[in-house]
Every structure is written in C-alpha cells, then in structure tokens.
Amino acid sequence: DVLLRMHSVGICGSDVHYWQHGRIGDFVVKDPMVLGHEASGTVIKVGSGVTHLKPGDRVAIEPGVPREMDEFCKTGRYNLSPTIFFCATPPDDGNLCRYYKHSASYCYKLPDNVTFEEGALIEPLSVGIHACKRAGVTLGSKVFVSGSGPIGLVNVLVAKMMGAAAVVITDLSASRLQKAKEVGADFTIQVKNETPQEIASKVKSLLGCMPEITVECTGVEACIQAGIYATRSGGTLVLVGLGPEMVTVPIVNAAVREVDIRGIFRYCNTWPVAIALLASKRINIKPLVTHRFPLEKALEAFETTKRGEGVKVMLKCDPTDHNP
C-alpha cells in the first residue's frame, strides 16, 4: 500500500446519488461512508514491498482494486470480479479526504506535464476509453452519443481520438451541447419532446446514414429505445448510463437487425492508456472542469453538481497548494 496526500477529487453523479438517496441498485449505504473516486494525490509513504513509487511522486488513483486473483483477474477483466474493492461504493470508503491509503499497484505515476486535475479526470475518461473499445470504434466510424454529461463528453473525446469520422450527440441542455461541440462533436441535437423514432431519424439525417455505433450515456428508457432505432443493422449499442432496473425496449427490432447490445461496468486496464494520451497531448480533457472548490466547501460543491451546473466539479483537498 501507499499513503497519499490527496490533491484533486472530482464529484461524480454516483457520489451525489449516494448522498441524496443512500443507495444505487443493490449497493446500499448502511454506515457512514467517505465519498469520492475520481482522484489524484502525492505519495507521502510507501509500504515495504513497493518499488515503483516513492514519496513525492504524483499519482492518479484507480479506484477499483480486486481483492483476490479470481477467473476475471486472470482473463484481464478484473472490473467484473465480484469481490472488488471500489472507492465510495458501500461499504468501501472513497478518497474525498486529506489523506488516503490505497493499493500501490492501482496508483499510477503522473508525468510532469500531466496535472493533478487531469490525473483525477482519468477516472471518467476511462469510462469513455472502455466504452469505445467495447463498441469497436475505429477509423471512419459514425457514432451516436446519447447524453452530453461528463460521460457523454469523454465518449466524444475518445471516439474522435480512435478515428471516428463523425459524432452526433443529444441532450436536453443547450449549454451541455455547446460543451460537446467544444470537445469535438460534429453534430448536436437538442431533445425537446420527440419520440425515440424521431430522434433516430434526426441522427440519420445529420450523419447521412445510420451510425454503426451508439453509446448510450443516460440510462433513460426513451434514450435506450432511440439508441436501438438509430443504430445501423449489424452495428453495436453500448449501454453506459444506469437507469431503472427494468426498461421496455424494442428488443425484437434489435434482434432481427443484428444490433449487438453490450453493457459496460466501469473500466479495466485504462489508466496507462489515458496517461499516455494526456502526456502526449493527444487528448485535451481540461475543458471538462468548470467549477473548483476547496475541501472545506464540499457541501457547496455537491449542491452545484446536484443542480446540474457546469460539467465537472473538482474539489481541492490540499490546502498548501495554491495552483489553479
């Protein structure tokens, strides 16, 4: 293990959901729990067996740590391990605090030209990397991203990075769609009260064809329906957003058109990729951060996220650091 002085911690929708509702699906908060799982910090002490890190190293923290070497770890899909430790998922404490202890293998050294804030953003960026890999985004792909929150935006960034020729994105919010344009979306659709079929039709007309790939980031039933209708026959729909446990979808439409529906659960093996992309300046994730608060104003930061203001709210946990 390593002991870290925390620096930057992003607030995620799941953090707000636990705060407000005390549960997400089967994960129920039964005891007081520290929130936060998008994080970076400085190593201040290392365990006796740790050789790749030393005090003073700046690191990004991967929040999911398998507790045992099971079949999922052996096949490289450790995110699916049923006994995984995950920051801020009950009963495991997160890292929105001044000091935090974490498995050294899941702390990744940041190059000098990658900031703490970028280090904390690797967690949401990883969702985009994992989703686009599962979707099979490649050179020339036409991609439909549903939902322009932080996760929709990282999927735009990553899809374009992986060679997508055109990306169209939908959302209710005009300001979020403007942010999507800034990070590389080619087309935006502000959803009013269209039917799922009408949304699919708009996606097709903007792209000039049906997209091979749809990345659904909202979890809303109507959006999943639109995702199925929009995806080209033989294409792939990846479900990233989590909504109600049961949803009604046109599954026969997907089946007879051979639309593959894939789920994703967090991510795996993404931190080294993300660090390489950030260090080489191939991806610019900085525009995602719109608000910053010191740890003392955590409540204000959470209220800001709850109201849906901006995109990504970042908390600064190190009072000695005066850099933006």
Side-chain angles (χ1 to χ4, degrees):
D1 286 352
V2 293
L3 180 64
L4 304 156
R5 185 170 70 243
M6 298 308 297
H7 189 286
S8 296
V9 181
I11 300 177
C12 170
S14 70
D15 293 319
V16 174
H17 201 86
Y18 280 126
W19 168 48
Q20 289 293 301
H21 304 285
R23 69 179 298 157
I24 295 177
D26 296 335
F27 298 108
V28 182
V29 180
K30 294 181 176 147
D31 299 298
M33 181 180 82
V34 179
L35 291 169
H37 59 268
E38 306 177 358
S40 64
T42 306
V43 175
I44 51 174
K45 203 171 180 185
V46 300
S48 56
V50 178
T51 54
H52 71 290
L53 293 171
K54 63 185 188 306
D57 282 348
R58 301 159 60 253
V59 296
I61 299 164
E62 180 172 0
V65 180
R67 286 187 169 96
E68 56 184 80
M69 177 56 74
D70 59 16
E71 58 181 309
F72 298 105
C73 295
K74 288 174 185 172
T75 55
R77 301 181 74 176
Y78 57 87
N79 56 314
L80 302 178
S81 174
T83 62
I84 198 165
F85 166 93
F86 197 88
C87 294
T89 295
D92 303 332
D93 280 328
N95 41 32
L96 184 48
C97 47
R98 296 260 189 246
Y99 295 94
Y100 177 72
K101 182 175 71 114
H102 200 66
S103 165
S105 301
Y106 293 80
C107 294
Y108 300 82
K109 190 173 175 182
L110 292 172
D112 292 343
N113 68 339
V114 177
T115 66
F116 280 115
E117 212 161 76
E118 289 175 295
L121 290 168
I122 289 173
E123 197 278 342
L125 180 60
S126 286
V127 178
I129 293 169
H130 191 56
C132 287
K133 277 187 173 177
R134 293 267 294 152
V137 179
T138 188
L139 289 170
S141 296
K142 304 279 190 0
V143 180
F144 166 31
V145 177
S146 171
S148 189
I151 296 304
L153 295 175
V154 293
N155 274 285
V156 171
L157 275 167
V158 176
K160 295 293 282 192
M161 175 72 234
M162 287 173 76
V167 177
V168 58
I169 189 165
T170 52
D171 203 88
L172 297 167
S173 158
S175 63
R176 290 204 155 180
L177 290 172
Q178 182 54 43
K179 184 62 86 170
K181 276 273 197 203
E182 286 171 34
V183 301
D186 299 281
F187 307 104
T188 61
I189 299 171
Q190 188 174 4
V191 178
K192 301 280 197 301
N193 46 13
E194 296 90 341
T195 65
Q197 288 96 330
E198 285 167 344
I199 293 295
S201 168
K202 284 192 171 187
V203 168
K204 181 179 178 180
S205 67
L206 281 173
L207 289 174
C209 61
M210 294 170 82
E212 304 100 325
I213 289 160
T214 298
V215 185
E216 208 301 299
C217 303
T218 70
V220 174
E221 182 176 271
C223 298
I224 299 170
Q225 292 168 356
I228 289 175
Y229 290 130
T231 308
R232 187 183 306 182
S233 297
T236 304
L237 166 64
V238 174
L239 301 176
V240 184
L242 297 176
E245 187 179 358
M246 290 290 181
V247 291
T248 304
V249 295
I251 200 74
V252 175
N253 178 293
V256 299
R257 297 193 303 108
E258 297 193 3
V259 171
D260 292 349
I261 299 175
R262 297 187 151 200
I264 76 155
F265 187 59
R266 299 169 180 158
Y267 33 67
C268 57
N269 307 302
T270 54
W271 258 253
V273 176
I275 289 170
L277 289 171
L278 291 168
S280 62
K281 303 298 176 197
R282 297 284 289 159
I283 261 186
N284 179 17
I285 200 167
K286 290 175 181 173
L288 263 60
V289 180
T290 52
H291 294 72
R292 294 171 180 86
F293 294 90
L295 186 57
E296 295 76 15
K297 293 189 177 173
L299 184 58
E300 199 180 321
F302 270 77
E303 296 282 6
T304 303
T305 308
K306 185 185 160 196
R307 288 193 299 270
E309 289 177 26
V311 180
K312 179 56 68 178
V313 177
M314 193 67 67
L315 279 153
K316 300 292 182 184
C317 301
D318 184 354
T320 63
D321 182 80
H322 302 296
N323 294 322

